[in-house]
Amino acid sequence: MAKKEEKDPAPIEAADDETTESATINGGADDNAELEARAIAQAMQSADASYVPSPSLLASDEPEPLLAQVDGPSLVNFNGKPSVYQAKLVPVALRAKFDVPIHVTAGGSVVEYEISTEDYDISFGVTAEREEGVTNVKESARVDSHLEPVTGKFLVGSVPCALIFSFDNEYSWFREKKVTYKITVTPPRMDNVIKGRRLRAKKALEVVTKDNEEMAERYETSTQKRAEFEADVKKLEKELAEKKKSLDVVLTEENWLEKKRAVRSKQMKLLQKRLDKGWVDEKSEV
């Protein structure tokens, strides 16, 4: 099980531009922290400016879930300290796989990792799972982590997301691998959080305003259809009431005819019997 600890922010290297939602940040040679901070801020601004609320948030019957995502992390107890997840010599059995899931809720967080193995290589990859789908941050591939540590750094744009660090030993039929990893998640600076929530709020307002206008049109159409259907139902109810009256008349006549037909049937039998066998009182006179 990974242990989580907090530490003070450390300087980070210069960053390239963001290329995906969870953009990989490649370190520069000049180790200029200010340059990287500027690149991170630009990448965050780009991600927040293209923010679109997820379908589940728009489908929610409550307003709070959308607002919570737009607001991002609370600034009340915000300290900006990184969170560190690490473990040493974790065994990964042969023909097996070991995943380290880390949930990130603050957009603009910078994630750094360092992994190593004892004696043998392993297949390593990173994915970011969101409601919209899965992004490959680092394609899974065999790495010579037993020769030197494998390191990387990337920016998490859209949140919430689950980062999955995968150590895959399924290709090995004979050897267990032992993995050591250290994953550091550094939250965004407070000024970036403040700028980001305003950009997200602006984009979210555009989306919900447009959605509300479309729903207003649909509501008007629905109201018109409801009025038409109600008029049709009233017409049908009136016709049904008239049909019921006609049915009652027909049922009354049917019952009367059934009784009369029964009487006529008896009369026919009795008359035919008299014609065939004569009258009883006539035999007494013979």
Side-chain angles (χ1 to χ4, degrees):
M1 181 67 67
K3 296 181 179 179
K4 177 181 176 181
E5 64 180 23
E6 292 190 342
K7 67 175 186 178
D8 293 331
I12 51 180
E13 298 176 342
D16 292 336
D17 291 338
E18 183 184 33
T19 56
T20 63
E21 288 187 356
S22 295
T24 300
I25 299 176
N26 299 314
D30 56 1
D31 196 23
N32 191 326
E34 182 180 353
L35 179 61
E36 182 169 285
R38 189 181 306 118
I40 291 172
Q42 291 173 352
M44 282 186 63
Q45 183 175 359
S46 175
D48 291 329
S50 59
Y51 168 75
V52 177
S54 65
S56 64
L57 292 178
L58 294 176
S60 175
D61 292 332
E62 302 296 333
E64 286 77 12
L66 172 62
L67 296 177
Q69 190 176 82
V70 169
D71 293 345
S74 172
L75 301 181
V76 176
N77 298 313
F78 188 84
N79 56 26
K81 292 184 178 181
S83 297
V84 179
Y85 306 82
Q86 59 184 347
K88 294 183 178 180
L89 303 178
V90 179
V92 183
L94 54 93
R95 307 294 296 166
K97 186 178 181 181
F98 172 63
D99 289 341
V100 179
I102 296 177
H103 294 273
V104 180
T105 56
S109 296
V110 175
V111 180
E112 301 175 73
Y113 61 84
E114 178 179 309
I115 70 149
S116 60
T117 52
E118 276 197 348
D119 300 328
Y120 306 104
D121 67 354
I122 198 166
S123 183
F124 173 68
V126 185
T127 57
E129 298 182 356
R130 302 180 180 85
E131 182 181 351
E132 298 81 6
V134 178
T135 301
N136 277 323
V137 180
K138 175 178 172 52
E139 198 74 36
S140 183
R142 292 175 67 169
V143 292
D144 293 328
S145 49
H146 60 302
L147 300 179
E148 61 178 352
V150 176
T151 61
K153 183 187 297 186
F154 58 90
L155 175 73
V156 178
S158 300
V159 290
C161 78
L163 298 176
I164 310 298
F165 294 79
S166 297
F167 301 90
D168 192 347
N169 196 34
E170 292 180 338
Y171 62 87
S172 179
W173 289 84
F174 304 107
R175 296 184 178 92
E176 176 186 82
K177 310 295 173 62
K178 291 185 178 180
V179 174
T180 296
Y181 65 84
K182 181 178 181 181
I183 303 166
T184 305
V185 181
T186 304
R189 297 187 337 189
M190 184 177 292
D191 58 336
N192 288 337
V193 173
I194 293 173
K195 292 176 183 177
R197 58 171 43 163
R198 280 163 174 73
L199 285 172
R200 292 192 298 274
K202 183 179 179 181
K203 295 299 294 186
L205 181 59
E206 291 175 1
V207 171
V208 297
T209 299
K210 181 180 178 182
D211 193 43
N212 188 53
E213 291 172 352
E214 292 175 352
M215 286 192 293
E217 294 177 1
R218 290 173 56 189
Y219 182 79
E220 184 177 353
T221 301
S222 178
T223 301
Q224 292 175 352
K225 288 183 177 179
R226 177 180 58 80
E228 293 174 0
F229 285 135
E230 285 179 345
D232 291 341
V233 168
K234 288 182 179 180
K235 181 180 179 181
L236 291 172
E237 286 176 344
K238 184 177 180 180
E239 292 179 359
L240 181 60
E242 294 175 354
K243 294 290 185 182
K244 284 183 177 180
K245 290 180 181 179
S246 299
L247 178 60
D248 291 340
V249 172
V250 171
L251 287 174
T252 301
E253 184 179 12
E254 184 180 14
N255 292 333
W256 181 83
L257 289 171
E258 285 179 355
K259 292 178 181 179
K260 289 300 180 181
R261 287 186 64 202
V263 172
R264 294 294 182 264
S265 179
K266 290 180 180 180
Q267 290 172 338
M268 289 167 58
K269 289 179 180 179
L270 292 172
L271 289 171
Q272 188 64 47
K273 182 178 180 181
R274 280 167 171 71
L275 292 173
D276 293 340
K277 297 181 179 181
W279 280 253
V280 177
D281 60 345
E282 290 179 355
K283 292 181 180 180
S284 62
E285 294 294 331
V286 176

